[in-house]
């Protein structure tokens, strides 16, 4: 009875308190609105709103929005303040009970009225509107994405973020394709400094090493300018990591992911080491320091002893995969000094996760004959992976009214353990086979920049400089490949080990860069002004690559070579001996090389501004390039010493004509270059298990030169909205592509120059708020591109004209964003699809019916959904689904067959598997 009485009393009290709260709200009023820059319409986060002679006040949020509730009725004077802006005073604002007052406030820049006053503020570049204004005011054609928009998605790293930018596609979760052009035609800078390639076999920056939470903004330049490097054609990606804290803040984030087909499924991996959990497992698997330089010249017993030292673990660890784990911690702090402001952003992040791809179809074909496709290889793969990433960010910013210094540091360690079981039929040898591969790879990325900006004379001239260093390490120790055959001639119908190999390779890339830029403004008259820009740039890249190859010599008897995916008994230490099993050396001199390149550049350009209507940039850039490579040809005997030097001139023109303040046209032209990378030239041969083929370089590879043309219309209806439509055309001379040719019982990939190529297309980008439909909290985005390309070969050449490798004929990104800051809810749904593209160039034959066709990656629809809720001031919960449709990743060949004056197309499935739908859940705490 007492308990029931207490409940009734509590209920009555709750109702009374709730009623009184509602009554107070009804008896009081509120003021809300948005504070923006009068000229740029950019939101002014942190602007203060105060009702004079009262306790009522607040500050604008990230979107410039403010709200003051529970105001006693009366007449007030409202004062709005923001650093370096004129104070806004609103008199006689009448607040009435139960009513909301909407006051949108525009503030004017006070810089012209602040003579003798020191103002220190750092412009934020991570909001949607700031990025949109940067795009609008830029003379080169560009696109971008802000930290604000990134935070509304489930994107975990930079590779996923890039998919949201118009005209961009991501391959293998890491490599960027811009305007349909493969990664070799694109350039990437991190914090205004060069980034070395993180891959041993291609020019590419692994975007997946950079967590999305650390990105301030990403801008993609699509037309040339003298201030930019000339070595890009599709796009130049500029990534800035965070360096400007909003306020003193500590944050923790935890996330977990469930992947269908992987999580709680069986995983098979080779036994590992404790250091694998933090991505540093390569050291335990590396060759010892006293490894003989050549096992062929040492006694067999020494080879046996060496085999025992590096034999390693062979046990298979079979377990159930737990959900992926992600952790991050960041610290932001601002320091007030006498005449300077100092701030720091430090962050540490960690993630580990699994992938399992079961029943992956993996086929290769011979020439079509007898009315049917003829298999060369027909396999089923089971692939298991564990990937661990450990990263850190350490950025400092020091600035005063005329000087700014930045010190940025980014580190990432990525360790991957993988195991593949391949089973099927080798039709070339007509035998059932099994292939097994296990490896561990470690990728280390470190990037550091020290930069400065100096206003030498207010609104007249300024100078900026950057000193950069970057390191990329790729270590693949102890990759093991075992080939087994089904012995059908014996009583026991089992697979026996026919061949076993070990591979070791290590790559070190070091890059140093230095740039200095000067800008002088001439204010000739009220209707005309110009800006002279000049600068220099220097870059040195050095690479050292070493590889070792060993084969197990399987001799004698007393042990069994019959196995069933577990080789621990066969390679047990008791079986290692000079009359049984030991390693023999297969390393050649061509398996190692050193290379470096020196790039020196200087440019001069000028901006001509005719009133607010016509803006023109004309520039010219000169680049000196010196490439050196020292190695050996594939025979291991003939030295290869390359020393190439040349100077190229690259002109550029960018014109923007403003029809009104909201409408403008752009026209651009620029010349660019695409230089061969180290790996594409050296004759080193590497076996790639995924494509079961060797890859080698081509010492005769030439540079490609490209002429680029752009035309674009842009419309900015309101702040934060845009509609743009663009056309582009690119003309290539000597384009570089990867092809393959038949070599014995298999194929070998290499690189070569075509004669010429063209690539042209259209782009559409829309970002629109849906307030006109009564949905002010909803934003719609759409960006799409249609692209046509063609590679041309000389008359009489064996090859036939075709689309460019890696070029997608169309791509679409679209989605809807919902954000209600007052309720703390946000959500998004995003869709992405790309058209089929050539993944591997085929082998043409004299009779087209005998062609080995190009391999195409087929279109794949992706749908992502995310939702988040802020709880109070400090907690946010996020959830979402990545790749909701989970459609198959499919590769196909299309062979046109002509028979008896009729032509039909034969489809051949090359590869097919499902990556899995990913369900995410996370929580972040900020205080």
């Amino acid at each position: 009875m007492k308990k029931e009485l207490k409940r009734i009393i509590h209920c009555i009290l709750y109702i009374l308190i709730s009623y009184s709260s509602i009554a107070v709200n009804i008896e009081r009023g509120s003021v809300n609105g948005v504070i923006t820059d009068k000229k740029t319409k950019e939101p002014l986060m942190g602007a203060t709103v105060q009702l004079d002679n009262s306790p009522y006040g607040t500050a604008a949020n990230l979107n410039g929005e403010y709200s003051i509730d529970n105001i006693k009725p009366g007449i007030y004077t409202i004062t709005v303040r923001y650093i370096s802006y004129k104070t806004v005073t609103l008199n006689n604002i009448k607040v009435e009970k139960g009513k909301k007052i909407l006051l949108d406030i525009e503030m004017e820049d006070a810089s012209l009225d602040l003579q003798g006053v020191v103002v220190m503020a750092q412009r934020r570049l991570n909001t949607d509107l700031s990025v949109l204004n940067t795009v609008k005011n830029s003379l080169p054609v560009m696109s971008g994405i802000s930290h604000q928009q990134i935070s509304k998605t489930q994107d975990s790293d930079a590779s996923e973020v890039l998919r949201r930018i118009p005209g961009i596609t991501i391959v293998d979760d890491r490599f960027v394709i811009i305007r349909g052009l493969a990664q070799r035609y694109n350039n990437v800078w991190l914090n205004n400094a060069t980034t070395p390639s993180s891959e041993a076999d291609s020019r590419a920056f692994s975007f997946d090493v950079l967590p999305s939470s650390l990105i301030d903004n990403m801008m993609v330049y699509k037309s040339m300018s003298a201030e930019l490097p000339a070595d890009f054609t599709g796009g130049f990606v500029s990534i800035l990591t965070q360096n400007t804290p909003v306020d003193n803040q500590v944050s923790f984030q935890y996330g977990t992911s469930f992947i269908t087909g992987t999580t709680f499924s069986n995983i098979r991996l080779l036994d590992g080491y404790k250091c694998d959990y933090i991505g540093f497992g390569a050291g335990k698997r590396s060759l010892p320091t006293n490894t003989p330089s050549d096992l062929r010249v040492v006694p067999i017993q020494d080879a046996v002893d060496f085999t025992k030292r590096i034999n390693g673990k062979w046990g298979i660890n079979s377990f159930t995969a737990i959900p992926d784990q992600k952790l991050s911690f960041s610290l932001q702090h601002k320091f007030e000094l006498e005449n300077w402001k100092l701030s720091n952003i430090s962050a540490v992040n960690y993630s580990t996760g699994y992938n399992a791809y079961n029943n992956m179809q993996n086929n290769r074909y011979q020439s079509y004959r007898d009315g049917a496709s003829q298999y060369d290889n027909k396999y089923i793969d089971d692939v298991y992976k564990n990937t661990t990433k450990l990263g850190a960010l350490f950025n400092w910013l020091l600035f005063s009214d005329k000087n700014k210094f930045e010190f940025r540091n980014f580190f990432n360690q990525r360790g991957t353990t993988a195991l593949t079981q391949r089973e099927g039929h080798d039709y070339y040898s007509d035998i059932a086979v099994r292939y097994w591969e296990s490896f561990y790879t470690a990728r280390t990325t470190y990037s550091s920049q020290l930069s400065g900006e100096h206003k030498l004379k207010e609104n007249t001239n300024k100078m900026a400089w950057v000193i950069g260093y970057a390191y990329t390490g790729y270590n693949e120790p102890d990759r093991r490949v075992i080939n087994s055959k089904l012995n059908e001639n014996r009583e026991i119908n089992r697979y026996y080990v026919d061949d076993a190999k070990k591979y070791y390779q290590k790559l070190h890339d070091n890059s140093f860069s230095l740039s200095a830029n000067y800008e002088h403004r001439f204010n000739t008259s009220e209707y005309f002004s110009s800006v002279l820009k000049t600068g220099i740039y220097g870059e040195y890249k050095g690479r050292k690559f070493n590889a070792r190859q060993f084969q197990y010599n399987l001799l004698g008897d007393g042990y069994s070579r019959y196995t069933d995916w577990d080789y621990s008994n066969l390679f047990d230490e008791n079986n290692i001996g000079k009359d049984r099993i030991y390693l023999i050396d297969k390393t050649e001199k061509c398996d190692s090389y050193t290379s470096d390149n020196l790039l020196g550049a200087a440019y001069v350009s000028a901006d001509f501004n005719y009133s607010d209507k016509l803006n023109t940039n004309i520039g010219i850039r000169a680049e000196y390039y010196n490439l050196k490579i020292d190695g050996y040809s594939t025979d291991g005997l003939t030295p290869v010493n390359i020393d190439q030097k040349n100077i190229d001139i690259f002109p550029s023109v960018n014109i923007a004509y403003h029809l009104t303040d909201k409408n403008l046209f752009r026209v651009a032209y620029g010349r660019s270059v695409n230089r061969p990378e180290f790996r594409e030239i050296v004759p080193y041969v590497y076996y790639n298990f995924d494509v079961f083929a060797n890859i080698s370089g081509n010492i005769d590879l030439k540079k490609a030169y490209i002429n680029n043309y752009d035309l674009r219309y842009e419309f900015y209806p309101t702040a934060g909205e845009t509609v743009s439509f663009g056309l582009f055309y690119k003309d290539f001379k000597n384009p570089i592509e990867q092809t393959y040719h038949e070599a014995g019982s298999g194929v070998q990939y290499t690189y070569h120059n075509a004669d010429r190529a063209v690539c042209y297309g259209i782009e559409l980008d829309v970002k629109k708020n849906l307030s006109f439909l009564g949905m002010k909290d909803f934003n719609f985005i759409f960006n799409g591109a249609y692209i046509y390309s063609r590679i041309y070969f000389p008359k009489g050449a064996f090859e036939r004209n075709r689309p460019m490798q890696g070029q997608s004929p169309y791509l679409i990104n679209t989605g809807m964003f919902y954000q209600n800051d007052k309720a703390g809810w946000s959500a998004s749904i995003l869709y992405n699809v790309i058209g089929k593209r050539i993944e591997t160039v085929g082998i043409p034959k004299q009779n087209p019916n005998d062609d080995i066709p190009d391999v195409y990656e087929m279109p794949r629809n992706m749908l992502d959904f995310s939702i988040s809720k802020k709880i109070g001031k400090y907690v946010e919960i996020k959830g979402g689904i990545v790749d909701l449709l989970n459609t198959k990743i499919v590769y196909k060949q299309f062979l046109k067959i002509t028979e008896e004056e009729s032509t039909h197309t034969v489809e051949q499935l090359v590869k097919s598997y499902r990556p899995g739908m990913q369900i995410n859940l996370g929580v972040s705490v900020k205080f």
Side-chain angles (χ1 to χ4, degrees):
M1 184 68 181
K2 288 183 178 180
K3 290 184 178 179
E4 292 298 325
L5 184 60
K6 285 183 178 180
R7 289 178 182 175
I8 293 171
I9 294 172
H10 288 165
C11 184
I12 294 171
L13 288 173
Y14 176 78
I15 292 172
L16 290 173
I17 292 170
S18 299
Y19 178 80
S20 63
S21 175
I22 294 170
V24 168
N25 287 332
I26 293 174
E27 292 297 322
R28 300 195 176 197
S30 64
V31 178
N32 61 78
V34 180
I35 305 172
T36 58
D37 183 296
K38 186 175 183 178
K39 183 177 181 181
T40 67
K41 308 304 179 185
E42 184 174 340
L44 300 180
M45 181 188 67
T48 61
V49 184
Q50 183 68 44
L51 276 64
D52 292 355
N53 301 317
S54 80
Y56 308 118
T58 189
N61 66 11
L62 188 68
N63 299 314
E65 299 167 341
Y66 73 94
S67 180
I68 306 175
D69 300 317
N70 298 324
I71 305 173
K72 288 183 179 181
I75 297 175
Y76 294 90
T77 297
I78 297 179
T79 303
V80 185
R81 296 182 176 88
Y82 192 62
I83 295 174
S84 81
Y85 282 78
K86 294 179 181 179
T87 298
V88 175
T89 301
L90 304 173
N91 297 311
N92 300 318
I93 303 300
K94 186 177 182 180
V95 177
E96 300 180 74
K97 63 180 181 180
K99 291 186 178 181
K100 293 182 178 181
I101 299 175
L102 178 63
L103 286 178
D104 290 338
I105 300 164
E106 293 183 334
M107 303 188 74
E108 292 185 82
D109 192 335
S111 59
L112 297 178
D113 299 332
L114 294 175
Q115 295 179 2
V117 179
V118 176
V119 177
M120 293 188 292
Q122 180 66 14
R123 183 189 175 209
R124 301 190 61 81
L125 299 174
N126 61 356
T127 65
D128 285 350
L129 200 52
S130 64
V131 167
L132 201 61
N133 284 326
T134 299
V135 171
K136 181 181 178 181
N137 297 323
S138 167
L139 281 171
V141 175
M142 65 187 302
S143 301
I145 189 168
S146 69
H147 178 81
Q148 184 182 12
Q149 184 171 341
I150 294 169
S151 65
K152 300 174 186 177
T153 71
Q154 286 291 296
D155 297 339
S156 61
D157 57 53
S159 68
E160 296 176 357
V161 171
L162 275 166
R163 288 188 297 141
R164 315 298 178 195
I165 299 178
I168 292 183
T169 308
I170 293 296
V171 177
D172 295 335
D173 297 324
R174 298 196 300 275
F175 310 128
V176 62
I177 290 179
I178 302 176
R179 287 180 162 178
L181 296 174
Q183 64 263 20
R184 65 162 306 102
Y185 289 107
N186 305 307
N187 203 342
V188 182
W189 277 17
L190 180 64
N191 297 324
N192 297 315
T194 184
T195 58
S197 175
S198 54
E199 301 298 310
D201 296 318
S202 63
R203 169 188 176 171
F205 174 73
S206 289
F207 288 93
D208 60 343
V209 304
L210 183 59
S212 60
S213 60
L214 303 183
I215 299 171
D216 206 49
N217 66 62
M218 299 177 70
M219 310 302 296
V220 179
Y221 294 83
K222 297 179 179 179
S223 69
M224 287 65 228
S225 181
E227 304 94 88
L228 303 175
D231 193 8
F232 80 92
T233 301
F236 173 74
V237 182
S238 176
I239 307 172
L240 290 180
T241 55
Q242 291 188 350
N243 78 327
T244 308
V246 177
D247 208 341
N248 295 338
Q249 186 182 91
V250 178
S251 67
F252 298 91
Q253 293 182 344
Y254 168 75
T256 186
S257 301
F258 173 92
I259 302 175
T260 58
T262 295
T263 309
F264 303 129
S265 299
N266 186 61
I267 298 288
R268 289 171 58 85
L269 292 172
L270 212 59
D271 286 338
Y273 301 89
K274 292 181 179 179
C275 45
D276 294 351
Y277 291 111
I278 56 173
F280 286 90
K284 289 287 187 179
R285 298 169 171 88
S286 297
L287 290 171
T289 55
N290 59 348
T291 297
S293 60
D294 191 345
L295 287 182
R296 287 166 288 207
V297 298
V298 302
I300 293 179
Q301 187 57 49
D302 288 354
V304 170
D305 295 339
F306 172 74
T307 303
K308 289 182 179 180
R309 289 205 306 273
I310 72 165
N311 195 41
K313 298 181 179 181
W314 283 91
I316 299 295
N317 184 14
S318 183
F319 59 95
T320 300
I322 65 171
D324 293 1
Q325 304 294 310
K326 298 178 182 178
L327 295 165
S328 66
F329 166 79
S330 66
L331 175 66
Q332 303 182 19
H333 198 81
K334 299 167 71 174
F335 305 89
E336 297 289 340
L337 307 179
E338 185 176 349
N339 295 316
W340 295 80
K341 287 192 175 183
L342 178 67
S343 61
N344 169 255
I345 294 182
S346 300
V348 178
N349 57 83
Y350 172 83
S351 67
T352 186
Y354 296 93
N355 294 102
Y357 309 117
N358 292 301
N359 299 314
M360 178 190 294
Q361 297 184 64
N362 211 340
N363 308 317
R364 294 294 182 274
Y365 297 86
Q366 302 175 20
S367 296
Y368 184 91
R369 64 179 184 274
D370 300 329
S373 296
Q374 304 296 317
Y375 285 104
D376 196 6
N377 312 104
K378 186 178 181 181
Y379 300 136
I380 297 294
D381 292 0
D382 290 331
V383 181
Y384 309 98
K385 289 184 179 180
N386 170 233
T387 300
T388 298
K389 301 176 188 176
L390 178 65
L393 180 107
F394 189 62
N395 289 352
W396 287 90
L397 170 66
L398 175 67
F399 68 96
S400 65
D401 60 322
K402 292 186 177 181
N403 298 284
K404 180 174 74 171
F405 297 93
E406 293 180 275
F407 183 45
R408 301 181 191 242
N409 296 271
F410 169 74
F411 170 82
N412 184 271
Q413 180 70 26
R414 172 192 173 105
T416 300
T417 306
L419 186 148
T420 300
Q421 297 177 171
R422 176 175 295 159
E423 184 171 1
H425 201 88
D426 182 348
Y427 287 85
Y428 185 87
S429 303
D430 192 22
I431 190 170
V433 294
R434 280 181 174 176
Y435 297 103
W436 180 91
E437 181 195 48
S438 177
F439 66 83
Y440 182 92
T441 60
R443 289 184 173 92
T444 304
T445 304
Y446 173 68
S447 176
S448 179
Q449 301 83 30
L450 178 64
S451 63
E453 293 183 15
H454 312 282
K455 297 178 182 178
L456 305 179
K457 187 177 180 181
E458 190 70 33
N459 295 323
T460 301
N461 52 12
K462 61 182 180 180
M463 179 181 177
W465 53 270
V466 180
I467 300 172
Y469 169 73
Y471 169 78
T472 295
Y474 178 86
N475 195 352
E476 187 181 275
D478 200 9
R479 183 167 68 98
R480 308 175 188 186
V481 178
I482 296 177
N483 303 336
S484 301
K485 296 179 180 179
L486 182 63
N487 191 343
E488 299 175 339
N489 298 323
R490 301 193 179 188
E491 295 179 0
I492 302 176
N493 192 20
R494 294 178 61 189
Y495 287 88
Y496 71 95
V497 174
D498 181 61
D499 181 57
K501 294 184 174 70
K502 273 176 173 276
Y503 297 87
Y504 296 79
Q505 63 171 329
K506 187 178 292 187
L507 175 147
H508 299 281
D509 266 7
N510 289 277
S511 300
F512 303 87
S513 61
L514 172 65
S515 65
N517 302 282
Y518 174 78
E519 180 180 307
H520 187 90
R521 181 178 299 274
F522 299 90
N523 294 309
T524 308
S525 68
E526 181 181 352
Y527 302 101
F528 177 77
S529 65
S530 60
V531 180
L532 176 67
K533 301 176 183 178
T534 185
I536 57 173
Y537 176 76
E539 173 187 298
Y540 170 82
K541 289 184 179 181
R543 168 177 291 189
K544 185 177 181 180
F545 179 84
N546 292 293
R548 295 295 300 270
Q549 302 185 41
F550 303 98
Q551 182 177 11
Y552 279 95
N553 200 13
L554 305 175
L555 302 173
D557 51 24
Y559 61 93
S560 175
R561 290 167 64 175
Y562 290 97
T563 61
D564 189 20
W565 299 122
D566 188 343
Y567 306 97
S568 56
N569 290 330
L570 175 59
F571 295 104
D572 185 87
E573 186 173 338
N574 294 325
N575 291 331
I576 307 299
K578 61 182 180 181
D579 57 348
R580 288 192 171 190
I581 299 175
Y582 63 90
L583 288 172
I584 56 177
D585 209 327
K586 291 293 182 178
T587 308
E588 302 293 341
K589 289 183 177 180
C590 58
D591 292 332
S592 299
Y593 66 90
T594 59
S595 54
D596 61 76
N597 71 256
L598 179 65
L599 174 66
Y603 75 88
V604 61
S605 69
D607 293 348
F608 300 103
N609 305 306
Y610 302 88
S611 67
D612 292 329
K613 288 288 186 181
L614 182 62
N615 307 108
T616 302
N617 172 270
I618 301 175
I620 190 166
R621 183 181 183 91
E623 290 193 352
Y624 166 83
Y625 186 74
N626 179 206
L627 172 66
K628 293 182 179 180
I629 295 178
D630 295 306
Y632 283 85
S633 64
T634 53
D635 60 14
L637 301 174
T638 307
V640 173
N641 303 109
I642 298 173
D643 188 356
Q644 299 176 353
K645 300 176 182 178
N646 65 281
I647 297 177
D648 289 306
I649 304 297
F650 302 98
S652 63
V653 178
N654 291 275
I655 301 172
Y657 181 75
H658 297 256
L659 300 173
T660 66
D661 186 50
K662 297 182 178 180
N663 297 268
L664 65 93
F665 276 103
R666 298 185 189 275
V667 179
Y669 164 77
R671 184 173 185 257
S672 61
V673 65
N674 182 231
R675 302 181 178 99
E677 288 295 297
F678 297 141
R679 179 62 184 88
E680 296 168 344
I681 295 179
V682 295
Y684 165 64
V685 178
Y686 171 74
Y687 180 76
N688 187 312
F689 188 86
D690 289 340
V691 298
F692 30 100
N694 289 318
I695 300 174
S696 67
N698 177 7
I699 61 174
D700 297 320
L701 209 57
K702 296 180 289 186
K703 296 186 293 294
Y705 292 96
I706 307 95
N707 289 303
N708 306 269
Y709 306 86
D710 279 272
L711 176 64
R712 182 153 132 167
Y713 166 75
E714 297 174 8
F715 173 51
Y716 299 89
T718 62
E721 296 184 338
T722 181
V723 178
S724 68
F725 177 78
L727 306 172
F728 65 88
Y729 179 88
K730 300 178 183 294
D731 187 9
F732 297 75
K733 180 182 179 182
N734 301 324
I736 300 171
E737 295 205 323
Q738 186 186 60
T739 61
Y740 70 97
H741 59 273
E742 294 173 318
S745 61
V747 297
Q748 182 162 312
Y749 290 79
T750 189
Y751 306 87
H752 81 147
N753 294 98
D755 185 42
R756 59 179 292 265
V758 296
C759 175
Y760 54 85
I762 60 176
E763 293 176 321
L764 176 64
D765 184 22
V766 178
K767 185 174 182 181
K768 177 66 179 173
N769 181 268
L770 301 184
S771 56
F772 68 99
L773 297 176
M775 304 164 64
K776 67 180 182 66
D777 295 327
F778 289 85
N779 284 283
F780 170 76
I781 65 164
F782 173 89
N783 60 74
Y786 173 79
I787 305 162
Y788 175 86
S789 72
R790 205 72 178 165
I791 286 277
Y792 297 99
F793 296 93
K795 289 184 178 181
F798 217 50
E799 298 94 340
R800 286 182 284 278
N801 300 342
R802 53 168 172 75
M804 295 182 70
Q805 180 187 16
Q807 179 265 317
S808 299
Y810 66 86
L811 55 95
I812 295 172
N813 293 303
T814 188
M816 190 86 71
F817 292 95
Y818 168 80
Q819 185 162 350
N820 187 320
D821 289 328
K822 192 170 183 179
W825 283 100
S826 66
S828 69
I829 185 166
L830 301 166
Y831 170 79
N832 169 263
V833 65
I834 66 170
K836 73 174 187 179
R837 64 180 192 90
I838 294 179
E839 190 265 345
T840 304
V841 175
I843 305 173
K845 301 293 183 69
Q846 188 170 0
N847 181 357
N849 285 2
D850 296 331
D851 282 0
I852 305 298
D854 302 327
V855 177
Y856 281 87
E857 180 183 359
M858 302 303 294
R860 182 170 181 269
N861 297 292
M862 291 189 65
L863 189 65
D864 300 343
F865 170 75
S866 68
I867 187 169
S868 69
K869 175 69 170 86
K870 291 183 178 179
I871 302 174
K873 296 182 179 180
Y874 307 112
V875 180
E876 182 176 10
I877 297 176
K878 283 188 175 184
I881 302 175
V882 177
D883 200 3
L884 181 63
L885 304 177
N886 191 26
T887 55
K888 285 186 175 181
I889 294 176
V890 177
Y891 296 84
K892 287 185 177 181
Q893 292 175 310
F894 299 87
L895 179 62
K896 289 186 177 180
I897 299 297
T898 302
E899 296 176 319
E900 299 179 356
E901 298 182 357
S902 66
T903 300
H904 64 279
T905 300
V906 176
E907 290 189 14
Q908 298 176 153
L909 179 64
V910 175
K911 196 172 186 177
S912 175
Y913 66 97
R914 291 189 189 277
M917 177 178 65
Q918 181 174 313
I919 302 170
N920 299 324
L921 182 64
V923 61
S924 64
V925 180
K926 299 178 181 179
F927 54 89

